[in-house]
Amino acid sequence: MGVKQALRSIDAFPRAEDHLLQKTQSGAVVSIVGLLIMATLFLHELSYYLNTLTVHQMSVDLKRGETLPIHVNMTFPSLPCDVLSMDAIDMSGKHEVDLDTNIWKLRLNSHGHIIGTEYISDLVEKEHDHSSHKHDGKEERKNETEAVNTLGFDEAAETMIKKVKQALADGEGCRVYGVLDVQRVAGNFHVSVHGLNIYVAQMIFGGSKNVNVSHMIHDLSFGPKYPGIHNPLDDTNRILRDTSGTFKYYIKIVPTEYRYLSKDVLTTNQYSVTEYYTPMNEFDRTWPAVYFLYDLSPITVTIREERRSFLHLITRLCAVLGGTFALTGMLDRWMFRLIESFTKKPSTRSIHK
C-alpha cells in the first residue's frame, strides 16, 4: 500500500469524478477548433519531415583532364542550314571549325516545321597558337583572292548560292542541336556564317549587315540536369528586325556535384551569364555571329540531399500539439468565465428587486 500511495502522490494528471465535470457548448466549440488546428499542424509537420532538404557546400575544384559537355539546342529562324556552322576555340589553342561532334541541323520552313535533317560531318580541326592562326588566315585570304580572280566561282559554289538564295526567299530557318565535348578550359563556341567562303557569303547576303542572326535558345546546359537546376539561357528569344549585329554571352561555369539520398553522385555544371549585343554598321568587315564565351570557376558546389531525423519530427509534433492543447485549454477557461459573468449579473439584479 505504501508503494501505491507513493506512486499516486506523484501523479501529474489527477482525474476528477465524472459528476464534478461540467461540459458546455463553448467548450465543445473550442475543442473542435483545437482539433482542426492540431490536424492541420500535424499534416504540415509530416510533409515538412517527408520533403527532402538540400544542403549546399563549397570547396576548391580539384578535377583535371576531364572534358566539358555542352548541350546546345537553338533555332535560327532567318538563316538556312546551308550557311550555318558551329566553331569552337579554347585557351589551349585548339580550334575546331564546323564541328561534327554529335551536332545536327534541322531545316525549318517559314512556319517553323521540320522539312529536312542534316548531320554536320565536315570536321576541320587545327592545332595552333593564336599567332599562327592569324598568319594562316592572311595566306588563306590571299589564295582565295587569287583563285577568284583567275578562275571565278566553280560550279558547286554557284549551285550553293542559288540554293541558299531560294531558301532565304522561302523564309527557311535552321535548328541546331547536339552535344559538344570540349576541353575543360576557358574558351568559346559560336554559330555563324564563318564557314562560308567570304566571297560566297558576299554574293549570298550582299554584305554583313544583311545577315540576320535572330535566334531562340531552347536549351543550353553544361551537363545533365538535377532537381531544381535553373539554366538562365533556356527559352531565351532574341529577334532582330531590319538590323543585324553580334550577340555575345559571357558565361561563368560553376562545377557542381549533386548527391542523392541513395548515395548516387551526379557530376554536372551550373552557370551564370551576362549578355552583350553589338549592332552592325556598313563599315564593319566582320560578320554577325552568336558567341558563347565561357570560363570555369575554381570553386565546386556540392548539393547534398538530406532528410530530417525522426526524433526531430517527434520533437516538433510534441511542441506543436502540446502548445495547441494548452492554448485551447486556456481559451476554454476564459470563455467559460466570461459567459458565466454575463449570465450571473441579471439573476443577481432580479434578486435585489
Side-chain angles (χ1 to χ4, degrees):
M1 292 296 292
V3 176
K4 291 182 178 180
Q5 289 292 340
L7 287 175
R8 288 179 180 177
S9 65
I10 61 174
D11 184 9
F13 307 98
R15 297 181 179 276
E17 298 292 336
D18 290 339
H19 67 278
L20 298 176
L21 298 176
Q22 183 180 0
K23 295 185 178 181
T24 61
Q25 292 182 352
S26 62
V29 173
V30 172
S31 299
I32 293 173
V33 172
L35 287 174
L36 291 175
I37 293 174
M38 288 182 184
T40 303
L41 294 177
F42 172 77
L43 294 175
H44 177 269
E45 291 299 326
L46 183 62
S47 65
Y48 182 73
Y49 166 72
L50 295 176
N51 286 338
T52 303
L53 175 69
T54 54
V55 179
H56 293 67
Q57 294 178 336
M58 290 187 294
S59 59
V60 177
D61 184 21
L62 301 177
K63 298 184 184 70
R64 292 183 298 176
E66 297 183 6
T67 58
L68 178 68
I70 305 176
H71 299 262
V72 181
N73 188 352
M74 301 175 62
T75 295
F76 291 83
S78 301
L79 289 176
C81 290
D82 290 319
V83 300
L84 281 179
S85 68
M86 182 174 289
D87 311 327
I89 186 169
D90 58 41
M91 293 291 290
S92 67
K94 185 177 182 181
H95 186 202
E96 296 181 358
V97 182
D98 216 358
L99 285 166
D100 74 336
T101 51
N102 299 320
I103 296 296
W104 292 80
K105 293 193 291 187
L106 300 177
R107 291 177 58 206
L108 306 176
N109 61 18
S110 58
H111 302 289
H113 299 145
I114 298 172
I115 56 176
T117 306
E118 178 185 351
Y119 182 69
I120 303 178
S121 58
D122 48 340
L123 174 68
V124 181
E125 185 173 314
K126 298 177 181 179
E127 299 285 348
H128 56 40
D129 55 27
H130 296 290
S131 60
S132 64
H133 175 62
K134 291 179 181 177
H135 181 67
D136 293 344
K138 291 179 180 178
E139 290 183 352
E140 186 178 341
R141 290 192 192 94
K142 184 178 179 181
N143 294 334
E144 288 174 354
T145 305
E146 291 175 356
V148 170
N149 289 336
T150 56
L151 300 176
F153 294 113
D154 59 11
E155 224 174 281
E158 290 179 358
T159 303
M160 180 186 176
I161 291 172
K162 291 179 182 178
K163 181 181 176 183
V164 173
K165 284 187 175 181
Q166 184 61 45
L168 288 170
D170 295 339
E172 274 194 30
C174 186
R175 185 165 186 170
V176 182
Y177 71 96
V179 181
L180 307 176
D181 288 315
V182 298
Q183 297 187 76
R184 200 177 179 82
V185 293
N188 77 78
F189 66 95
H190 55 275
V191 183
S192 64
V193 297
H194 294 167
L196 293 175
N197 179 298
I198 187 171
Y199 303 102
V200 173
Q202 187 70 29
M203 289 291 295
I204 293 173
F205 297 103
S208 59
K209 63 180 180 179
N210 298 321
V211 180
N212 189 340
V213 291
S214 297
H215 58 279
M216 294 171 281
I217 304 175
H218 308 291
D219 175 50
L220 180 67
S221 57
F222 296 85
K225 297 182 179 181
Y226 61 85
I229 190 173
H230 172 66
N231 294 321
L233 283 179
D234 287 1
D235 300 321
T236 298
N237 296 332
R238 296 292 179 266
I239 305 300
L240 300 176
R241 304 193 185 280
D242 301 325
T243 185
S244 186
T246 296
F247 291 88
K248 291 185 179 181
Y249 297 97
Y250 296 90
I251 298 172
K252 177 65 74 171
I253 301 173
V254 182
T256 304
E257 285 187 353
Y258 193 90
R259 299 179 179 270
Y260 292 92
L261 282 174
S262 59
K263 306 302 181 182
D264 293 334
V265 179
L266 178 67
T267 302
T268 182
N269 300 277
Q270 51 186 323
Y271 65 92
S272 61
V273 63
T274 303
E275 179 183 350
Y276 184 72
Y277 171 71
T278 305
M280 301 291 296
N281 58 60
E282 57 183 350
F283 302 107
D284 285 334
R285 295 185 177 181
T286 58
W287 291 83
V290 179
Y291 284 86
F292 299 89
L293 302 98
Y294 57 87
D295 193 7
L296 284 91
S297 169
I299 302 298
T300 295
V301 175
T302 301
I303 305 174
R304 188 175 66 255
E305 289 185 347
E306 290 185 355
R307 180 156 287 169
R308 300 167 183 87
S309 67
F310 184 70
L311 288 177
H312 186 265
L313 171 66
I314 296 299
T315 302
R316 292 180 66 94
L317 285 178
C318 290
V320 167
L321 300 181
T324 306
F325 185 79
L327 181 62
T328 52
M330 293 172 58
L331 183 60
D332 176 56
R333 287 194 296 271
W334 292 340
M335 288 185 65
F336 177 75
R337 290 175 183 175
L338 184 63
I339 293 173
E340 192 179 41
S341 64
F342 278 108
T343 54
K344 279 186 176 181
K345 284 183 180 179
S347 59
T348 305
R349 291 174 182 173
S350 62
I351 292 172
H352 285 299
K353 286 181 179 178

